[in-house]
Amino acid sequence: RQGPLLWRLVVLCTIQDLVSTAAVDYWYHKDLTASYPSMTGLMGAILSCLVFGLRRWELNESMGLLQKDRRKYDALWESQCAHEDSKACIEHLAKVVNMIGLRETDYCRQHNRMRADQLSARLKARFLSQAANSAP
């Protein structure tokens, strides 16, 4: 169900074009093979098949990459959990997280940061003055 709405519209228009052309042919000629199908409909069908087929192929490729990463992560985690020292470190880290209260609130968030060298001169001066004022 992912993907742009445009391609769904292309598919619907393609189907509508092919069906309407076939209906008109049947209405006038009483034979669906009396004329060629709509070239617009055929081109839309070919383009839609290509887009959806290539998209499916790329999704399968990316899922394969994710599965490889998952296997590596699982192997690393198993190796970490295999040793008693590692288990003790993980348990200690869990206790520290609970002790400082990180589990109770949502502290996991992404901060989008702009690089100072890419700022305009006015924003760079403002950023540097704020950084100087907040320094301990």
Side-chain angles (χ1 to χ4, degrees):
R1 297 244 181 229
Q2 296 177 352
L5 184 62
L6 172 69
W7 288 110
R8 292 186 183 140
L9 183 63
V10 167
V11 169
L12 288 175
C13 289
T14 298
I15 292 170
Q16 184 271 333
D17 188 56
L18 290 172
V19 169
S20 65
T21 302
V24 168
D25 282 348
Y26 186 74
W27 179 268
Y28 285 115
H29 304 289
K30 301 294 187 216
D31 185 14
L32 291 177
T33 60
S35 66
Y36 293 111
S38 166
M39 293 310 285
T40 308
L42 287 178
M43 292 305 291
I46 291 169
L47 182 64
S48 298
C49 289
L50 280 173
V51 167
F52 286 116
L54 290 173
R55 181 178 178 275
R56 175 56 48 197
W57 183 64
E58 288 298 326
L59 285 174
N60 287 340
E61 289 289 318
S62 64
M63 290 303 287
L65 292 173
L66 287 174
Q67 288 173 353
K68 288 179 188 176
D69 288 345
R70 179 65 188 223
R71 284 193 294 270
K72 287 180 185 177
Y73 172 80
D74 287 342
L76 180 64
W77 183 253
E78 289 297 322
S79 70
Q80 290 295 317
C81 291
H83 304 290
E84 289 299 320
D85 292 339
S86 298
K87 283 183 186 179
C89 288
I90 293 169
E91 289 174 7
H92 175 71
L93 182 60
K95 288 178 185 176
V96 169
V97 166
N98 284 332
M99 185 173 61
I100 61 175
L102 287 180
R103 287 191 184 259
E104 297 169 4
T105 57
D106 184 24
Y107 284 105
C108 297
R109 60 185 167 200
Q110 179 177 350
H111 297 282
N112 293 330
R113 295 181 181 92
M114 294 169 54
R115 290 178 35 186
D117 61 336
Q118 294 179 344
L119 295 175
S120 66
R122 186 175 59 87
L123 286 175
K124 186 187 267 187
R126 182 176 166 196
F127 170 74
L128 292 174
S129 67
Q130 287 177 352
N133 291 337
S134 66

